[in-house]
Amino acid sequence: MKAWRTPLVLLLLGGVFLWGLLRQLDHRPIAAADGRTTIRFAHTQLEPGIREAYTAIIADYEALHPNVRVEQIAVPLRAWAAWMRTRLVGDNAPDLLQLITNDPNPIQRYYQPITRWMQAPNPYNAGTPLEGIPWVDTFIVPGTDPPVFWPIFLDYYGVPQTFFTSRVLYNRTRWREWTGRDTPPRDYREFITAARRIRAEAERRQQAMQPVAGSRFNAPMLLNTLFATVMQAHLDDYDYRATFDLEFNAATSAFARGVWSVRDPAFQAGLELMREAGGVFQPGFLQAERDEALFLFAQERALMLLSNSAEFGAIQGDVPFEVGVFRIPTPGPDDPDYGQFVTGEFSEANVPLRAAYALTKQSTAPDAAMDFMLYLTSRDVHERFSAAVGWVPIVQGVKASPEVAAFMPRTHGYPLGTHPGIGIEVNAYWSTLVFDLFGADGVERVSAALERAYPPLMIQSINKEAREVPRAIHHLERTILAPWLEPEAFPDLAAKSSEARETQVLLELNLAAYDLDRAFLRQRLSP
Amino acid sequence: MFPFQSPLWKPAAWLVLGAFGLGPSVAAPSASATAAALWQQVLDDDVSDWRDPGPGDPSAQLALALAWMQREPRTEGNLEQARRLLRSLVADAAAAPPAGLIAEYLLGRIAHLYRYPTDPATAAQHYHNVLTRGADAPFAQHVAVRYIMARLADAPDAADAHARWHEGVALVEGFTESDARRDGHLVLTNLGLYWSVSDELVLRQALAADAETLHQAGSRFTLHLTIANVAARSGRPDLAREYYTRILAHTPRNPKLSLIADRLAALPPEAKP
């Protein structure tokens, strides 16, 4: 072999290696072919109109910032988890990713805090009543919880876009014809009466028309809410801390301590109510997919449909009739059958902010990416965007369009209880058991099954929930210990130490309650 | 000479692989021997590429122990690596406070939080060791709160729980650090209610917790509501009124506000002076 070939090969290989090394170390912003800084954001909102609305906002933003190019990436929800993981692990993630769940595990690993932006005014609110107000305070809900603020990390991570609230959509064009009413039902009693009237009318006309198009996805919106309403009977005795809590932890703890049972009047009333309300749906609704329910409604073979604010705009645009909206109807305190268990209409004051964007650690243009987010959530732009996509607005001073106003969360009212699927494992069992509720002797069959199933499944649910709490405690543990040992290296963490310890002890108290509940439940299982 | 017959083909192959990122990552930060750098890696959850800093720096050893504790997947092997480091630090405690106390504490944490099933009794023993050896150390008060919690979560029955609760009260009364006092009073309030300690005694703890600094609006809301409701049911309407009113004045949005307003309205008339 000629003597020069080997050194040449080595030189070429070394050059390739050096090029790869420099490319990995280069963290300058990605430049578009025309030299502009490119920022990319990815989301799962493939509903009609949303991508178009983003495109219009992007065009306006780029006109303001000719040196920036904004790229929108829309990914189907089904593919999101795999797509996102591939991008994050492959060091090729967009600057901004939508937070689909409130899973804390990816947060500190893949995203960077946005606290410094959140605590400063939004410059795009200049000249509006929001001028000078810290960005986080321009939203109509305090940003104190995920996806916006994460107590276990003591930082802000998410820029919210909207709420998602559930409502009943109805065919306003044909409503009077089928129900004899001009207005939608104001409570459960009027709702069930209207549903029975629709059934009777369909029988009389020999025409296919269901009161409500149901599916395994949307039927729980109604059934679980109804059950949770009669659980208001337990507002004073579920939570040992006397804080009117009725959700999973409180309900499980109260069951473990023997405060309530399946045979209690309120629980039995809840099952009866679910069984009665199930009659408003088409046969087989619990096996139907979401599209099937939507099809029934769009084809005018069902007069009502349960849906949420994220889908409303698309549905409204797709159907050949006028769509009305009303809140999920629940029994009032004066209801002849269920009123004794009910305190009042439920409040939606705790509906979480949603569709938040988080800034990835891999972003090579964090300031540019956050500037786009500031623009998107500035008062005037947010108003345009929310109106265009039919989403509930969340920036102060932005009025909802008349169609969307019905989706604004109701902030007055009372807490809701839980539904029979109390906890992860119980809920999985409940989703199979609920079919029996609508068969012969359904309430008794389901009651007997839940009596047997609750103790062991609640233990399994606690085991699953409890496994996640130590991870959160660990996040705080290192936040507390690092400045204790190296105070000069971590002055920012030292300043947060008191808050971190407060958050940590509250998480540990949850864990302590889990341990105690588990012990009580095991006693119930012992012969 | 055919290239693969050359003795240089292997290093050449690694150069090619490295250029395409398939070789050892050169972008990952190298594990520095300094404790602060190791702690930063722990905080960043960047614990996949470590070099043991070796003995000599207890802070660095603790960072490494925490890295083993948080490494995924969480295995008994990883936890045993952490225990090994922590035990040697505990044994070396006389030479390296407060690292030795923190090491003993983390051994308790592993028993308390990182294994399934959890072992609060073993955890309580480790925490107690910290209290015994480091009674005057501020860190010991932080650990004492965990000791009280582990004991109350492991009580076999109400009578035993009440006895342990009173022991906890005595411990917290000696705290000098405000965060530890706050946390201790919160624990005694919360677990006192769980174990049905008398409302009067629990209220005393809750009010003491409220006298310390609570940072999060949610924590304050929950504590104030507990105080108000327990006061209302135990025949202290004026205290209940004070706290219901405070909640309504400082809480802009919460699904419980209508209920709280109802309860305030239902209280007996204010006692005349």
Side-chain angles (χ1 to χ4, degrees):
Chain A
M1 183 172 173
K2 292 193 179 151
W4 55 267
R5 283 187 184 168
T6 302
L8 178 63
V9 166
L10 288 176
L11 190 64
L12 284 171
L13 290 171
V16 168
F17 173 75
L18 193 61
W19 171 79
L21 171 64
L22 290 175
R23 202 158 168 257
Q24 286 212 21
L25 295 177
D26 183 3
H27 289 284
R28 287 173 299 170
I30 298 170
D34 54 10
R36 291 186 291 169
T37 297
T38 298
I39 54 177
R40 297 173 298 157
F41 71 100
H43 61 85
T44 63
Q45 313 300 151
L46 268 62
E47 297 90 344
I50 296 182
R51 282 166 287 176
E52 292 80 359
Y54 274 129
T55 300
I57 300 288
I58 289 168
D60 293 341
Y61 182 80
E62 289 178 350
L64 274 179
H65 301 277
N67 58 330
V68 176
R69 179 174 161 272
V70 182
E71 185 183 317
Q72 175 186 185
I73 306 169
V75 180
L77 184 60
R78 260 183 237 129
W80 177 260
W83 178 87
M84 182 190 70
R85 200 164 294 123
T86 307
R87 292 300 191 107
L88 287 167
V89 170
D91 210 17
N92 185 26
D95 301 89
L96 298 156
L97 282 171
Q98 197 173 42
L99 295 176
I100 306 301
T101 69
N102 282 342
D103 180 3
N105 291 317
I107 292 294
Q108 209 171 36
R109 191 173 184 87
Y110 295 121
Y111 302 103
Q112 46 181 306
I114 59 171
T115 303
R116 64 182 169 98
W117 287 283
M118 275 290 181
Q119 291 178 339
N122 184 342
Y124 295 102
N125 283 329
T128 76
L130 300 180
E131 179 174 356
I133 295 176
W135 189 20
V136 67
D137 294 331
T138 63
F139 301 109
I140 59 177
V141 174
T144 54
D145 295 296
V148 180
F149 180 77
W150 292 73
I152 63 171
F153 305 124
L154 303 173
D155 267 316
Y156 294 92
Y157 282 85
V159 183
Q161 304 297 306
T162 187
F163 294 110
F164 292 149
T165 53
S166 300
R167 295 289 185 265
V168 183
L169 310 187
Y170 70 101
N171 184 331
R172 187 182 268 163
T173 306
R174 305 192 70 184
W175 183 251
R176 189 177 192 3
E177 171 197 342
W178 281 87
T179 66
R181 295 176 62 106
D182 291 315
T183 54
R186 290 169 299 184
D187 60 23
Y188 175 75
R189 199 49 57 189
E190 290 188 4
F191 169 75
I192 206 74
T193 303
R196 288 176 182 150
R197 168 82 183 253
I198 294 165
R199 285 232 181 273
E201 190 63 17
E203 176 82 18
R204 186 185 72 77
R205 297 186 194 193
Q206 291 293 292
Q207 202 174 321
M209 178 63 83
Q210 303 292 335
V212 187
S215 75
R216 61 191 185 94
F217 294 102
N218 70 10
M221 289 180 200
L222 174 68
L223 301 178
N224 289 349
T225 302
L226 290 173
F227 188 94
T229 301
V230 299
M231 286 295 107
Q232 287 178 340
H234 287 290
L235 278 168
D236 277 314
D237 56 19
Y238 258 25
D239 184 24
Y240 62 87
R241 299 170 305 170
T243 57
F244 306 139
D245 281 320
L246 294 167
E247 35 51 300
F248 161 67
N249 286 5
T252 303
S253 191
F255 182 85
R257 291 176 292 120
V259 168
W260 66 273
S261 79
V262 167
R263 299 293 175 181
D264 282 348
F267 198 96
Q268 291 291 297
L271 292 178
E272 293 283 357
L273 180 52
M274 288 178 107
R275 179 181 163 87
E276 181 181 69
V280 306
F281 298 110
Q282 79 277 15
F285 70 95
L286 281 173
Q287 284 127 333
E289 296 294 332
R290 180 188 271 123
D291 286 346
E292 187 178 327
L294 188 50
F295 191 69
L296 272 179
F297 182 67
Q299 291 283 305
E300 300 192 79
R301 289 190 284 131
L303 219 51
M304 292 178 270
L305 174 75
L306 286 139
S307 185
N308 64 40
S309 48
E311 298 179 327
F312 173 67
I315 292 173
Q316 191 184 37
D318 270 352
V319 298
F321 49 81
E322 193 185 347
V323 179
V325 181
F326 62 92
R327 297 185 204 280
I328 293 176
T330 53
D334 55 357
D335 187 276
D337 296 330
Y338 307 109
Q340 59 178 303
F341 306 110
V342 175
T343 305
E345 284 185 324
F346 66 93
S347 167
E348 294 172 311
N350 58 345
V351 167
L353 294 163
R354 299 288 296 272
Y357 287 98
L359 180 66
T360 61
K361 285 183 176 176
Q362 296 167 26
S363 173
T364 56
D367 289 314
M370 291 312 295
D371 192 74
F372 177 65
M373 283 289 110
L374 285 159
Y375 180 77
L376 185 62
T377 55
S378 60
R379 198 189 75 159
D380 295 342
V381 175
H382 182 74
E383 188 167 57
R384 270 192 288 135
F385 179 76
S386 300
V389 304
W391 275 3
V392 176
I394 56 165
V395 174
Q396 291 184 34
V398 174
K399 281 200 173 44
S401 60
E403 297 83 9
V404 169
F407 285 93
M408 289 296 288
R410 175 176 55 207
T411 55
H412 303 295
Y414 296 88
L416 268 179
T418 184
H419 60 81
I422 306 167
I424 301 168
E425 295 297 324
V426 179
N427 199 38
Y429 176 65
W430 172 250
S431 66
T432 62
L433 182 65
V434 67
F435 292 87
D436 288 351
L437 185 61
F438 305 103
D441 217 18
V443 171
E444 175 52 37
R445 288 177 62 189
V446 164
S447 298
L450 286 175
E451 271 183 318
R452 287 189 301 271
Y454 266 160
L457 290 180
M458 281 184 180
I459 291 174
Q460 289 179 35
S461 297
I462 289 174
N463 290 344
K464 272 208 167 140
E465 293 279 335
R467 280 202 190 109
E468 293 308 310
V469 178
R471 287 180 200 278
I473 293 173
H474 183 87
H475 287 303
L476 292 158
E477 195 89 88
R478 53 193 185 180
T479 306
I480 293 165
L481 291 178
W484 211 308
L485 286 158
E486 305 288 336
E488 286 172 14
F490 302 105
D492 290 347
L493 289 185
K496 289 182 186 177
S497 171
S498 177
E499 189 176 355
R501 289 168 67 179
E502 175 185 321
T503 305
Q504 189 185 50
V505 79
L506 294 172
L507 285 172
E508 291 183 61
L509 281 169
N510 279 349
L511 213 54
Y514 284 147
D515 283 341
L516 287 164
D517 291 343
R518 215 172 358 219
F520 278 111
L521 286 165
R522 286 197 184 111
Q523 282 175 18
R524 291 176 71 139
L525 285 174
S526 308
Chain B
M1 182 177 167
F2 191 71
F4 290 113
Q5 291 171 322
S6 164
L8 296 173
W9 81 264
K10 275 186 185 167
W14 273 111
L15 284 175
V16 172
L17 290 174
F20 287 100
L22 295 177
S25 169
V26 296
S30 63
S32 159
T34 69
L38 285 173
W39 276 106
Q40 189 62 59
Q41 280 190 261
V42 167
L43 289 165
D44 291 341
D45 213 8
D46 181 16
V47 296
S48 57
D49 179 27
W50 282 83
R51 274 184 240 134
D52 191 331
D57 186 341
S59 177
Q61 292 288 305
L62 283 167
L64 187 53
L66 266 176
W68 281 114
M69 288 160 71
Q70 76 192 48
R71 202 162 188 168
E72 296 285 355
R74 299 213 170 173
T75 64
E76 187 55 34
N78 288 346
L79 292 179
E80 187 50 37
Q81 292 280 8
R83 283 193 206 98
R84 179 183 56 80
L85 284 162
L86 295 170
R87 283 188 205 117
S88 73
L89 280 169
V90 169
D92 210 18
L101 297 180
I102 294 177
E104 180 90 58
Y105 163 72
L106 289 176
L107 283 169
R109 293 308 248 178
I110 291 175
H112 205 172
L113 304 173
Y114 290 78
R115 299 186 64 247
Y116 182 76
T118 60
D119 186 355
T122 300
Q125 186 56 57
H126 282 293
Y127 299 150
H128 191 259
N129 290 347
V130 174
L131 306 191
T132 308
R133 286 166 37 198
D136 297 329
F139 186 74
Q141 294 177 25
H142 176 76
V143 179
V145 173
R146 274 81 205 156
Y147 172 71
I148 297 168
M149 239 190 307
R151 296 262 294 154
L152 283 170
D154 194 42
D157 52 54
D160 201 277
H162 285 209
R164 296 181 184 198
W165 190 86
H166 285 286
E167 286 170 14
V169 170
L171 259 177
V172 173
E173 275 171 4
F175 284 177
T176 54
E177 204 227 0
S178 81
D179 284 344
R181 282 200 304 270
R182 174 200 64 208
D183 295 348
H185 290 308
L186 283 173
V187 167
L188 290 167
T189 302
N190 202 299
L191 293 178
L193 284 166
Y194 194 104
W195 282 112
S196 303
V197 169
S198 82
D199 282 349
E200 183 194 338
L201 292 177
V202 164
L203 262 181
R204 213 176 284 167
Q205 294 300 317
L207 290 166
D210 193 40
E212 305 292 342
T213 302
L214 279 159
H215 297 274
Q216 299 196 8
S219 317
R220 275 196 303 279
F221 177 88
T222 300
L223 180 64
H224 289 177
L225 187 52
T226 295
I227 292 171
N229 281 336
V230 173
R233 78 184 185 201
S234 58
R236 295 184 62 176
D238 290 341
L239 183 62
R241 182 174 297 107
E242 177 192 341
Y243 274 85
Y244 284 142
T245 306
R246 194 184 296 189
I247 292 168
L248 292 172
H250 292 111
T251 310
R253 191 179 175 110
N254 191 287
K256 301 173 184 176
L257 292 183
S258 295
L259 193 55
I260 291 167
D262 290 350
R263 296 301 166 94
L264 175 61
L267 287 173
E270 201 161 349
K272 288 190 176 15

